[in-house]
Amino acid sequence: MMNLLEAIDARHAIRAYTDEPVAADTLAALQSDIDACNAESGLHIQMASGLDDAFLGLKTHYGRFKGVHNAIALIGRASGTGDAEGTPVSPAAAALQERVGYYGERLVLRAVQSGLATSWAVLDGAETVPAADAWWTLDDGESVVWVIAFGHGARPGGRRRSKPIEELASVADGTGVDAWPDWFVHGMEAAMAAPTSLSQQPFHFTLNADGSVTAEALDGLFAHVGLGCAKYHFEVGAAPHKVEWRAA
Ligand SMILES: Cc1cc2nc3c(=O)[nH]c(=O)nc-3n(C[C@H](O)[C@H](O)[C@H](O)COP(=O)(O)O)c2cc1C
């Protein structure tokens, strides 16, 4: 099994899958990761496998998906998950989106470690699916916030360009990249490989004078989900340094 850094390198958004089933032991391992994420986060993440169409015929916000037989639904209590463009309507909604990104990306990298392909997606109209037709169950006040398709990729993914590190990060004392601590650079390199909606990378990381890190979402589509993904990657890249997050 590849390690997490290798998984960060190997991960690309893959939107077409073969009909080859995911092995039972891989599914069982993923389910126990989901259980751990739910226990830590208070989210209600659920998984379906071996379906004809795990997206239930719903359209995705963008992108063309094919052969999606397996998916993870990131479900949380919606204090309003955002408007149509994904702009959070409240600090609570922003926090939910960031949590979904953080734990969802943790599951993405687990799937990639097992040799699977993945892609994040937004299912338009997931809230309109009758309970009897859905493979997820919603408790009071919950909604399907985002989904992750996974399975055996039908094609390899390609490299994508990233904004330069100087644009995505800075250090409070104003020094240039050459003088940044290795753990911060490695954290940023991992964050730059994280998925963001439309590859917009709407985030900025600042290393504060006391050694803590502040990560902020900027304007962009589903920016807080992408920030959560980037923060998980950052922690993996910065390890064994333990990142101390400081609110903006
Ligand atoms: C929060 C979020 C939502 C996304 N929504 C969609 C989507 O609705 N449709 C789609 O095709 N891709 C979606 N993606 C996948 C991104 O477009 C993709 O990850 C990005 O272009 C970067 O490419 P990479 O993952 O190969 O690095 C989403 C990604 C994130 C993080």
Side-chain angles (χ1 to χ4, degrees):
M1 192 146 118
M2 58 177 102
N3 68 34
L4 282 172
L5 284 174
E6 289 166 335
I8 283 177
D9 225 39
R11 188 210 60 81
H12 304 286
I14 302 293
R15 300 178 178 85
Y17 302 88
T18 70
D19 292 338
E20 186 190 338
V22 175
D25 58 342
T26 304
L27 289 173
L30 210 46
Q31 184 59 55
S32 68
D33 286 327
I34 289 174
D35 295 343
C37 286
N38 283 338
E40 253 182 60
S41 67
L43 294 172
H44 190 186
I45 304 171
Q46 295 163 53
M47 174 175 83
S49 60
L51 300 183
D52 185 39
D53 174 15
F55 281 180
L56 304 175
L58 297 170
K59 289 216 311 211
T60 53
H61 200 70
Y62 64 90
R64 194 180 289 274
F65 285 78
K66 248 192 97 190
V68 180
H69 303 302
N70 316 287
I72 291 167
L74 299 154
I75 291 168
R77 202 167 302 277
S79 28
T81 50
D83 63 23
E85 291 315 305
T87 309
V89 293
S90 67
L96 172 65
Q97 290 191 14
E98 188 180 317
R99 199 173 324 131
V100 158
Y102 183 92
Y103 287 97
E105 187 63 8
R106 181 166 140 181
L107 295 168
V108 159
L109 293 183
R110 292 289 187 222
V112 172
Q113 280 187 286
S114 304
L116 299 176
T118 64
S119 179
W120 283 82
V122 179
L123 285 189
D124 287 335
E127 64 285 352
T128 65
V129 177
D133 298 341
W135 49 263
W136 54 78
T137 54
L138 302 177
D139 292 340
D140 262 0
E142 287 184 340
S143 64
V144 178
V145 191
W146 265 268
V147 294
I148 295 162
F150 70 95
H152 294 283
R155 54 183 76 113
R159 272 258 154 263
R160 145 187 68 80
R161 280 151 36 97
S162 169
K163 290 177 182 169
I165 192 168
E166 301 84 0
E167 200 176 311
L168 295 171
S170 47
V171 170
D173 64 11
T175 53
V177 180
D178 291 348
W180 294 359
D182 282 348
W183 65 264
F184 187 70
V185 173
H186 294 151
M188 280 313 301
E189 284 166 352
M192 289 157 72
T196 55
S197 202
L198 298 172
S199 301
Q200 288 175 337
Q201 301 182 294
F203 55 72
H204 193 90
F205 286 65
T206 305
L207 173 57
N208 302 306
D210 64 359
S212 65
V213 178
T214 298
E216 292 167 277
L218 309 178
D219 285 343
L221 187 62
F222 313 130
H224 291 270
V225 185
L227 179 66
C229 296
K231 284 176 79 169
Y232 183 68
H233 276 226
F234 186 95
E235 287 182 358
V236 170
H241 179 89
K242 178 120 179 43
V243 183
E244 194 200 315
W245 297 110
R246 196 168 87 193

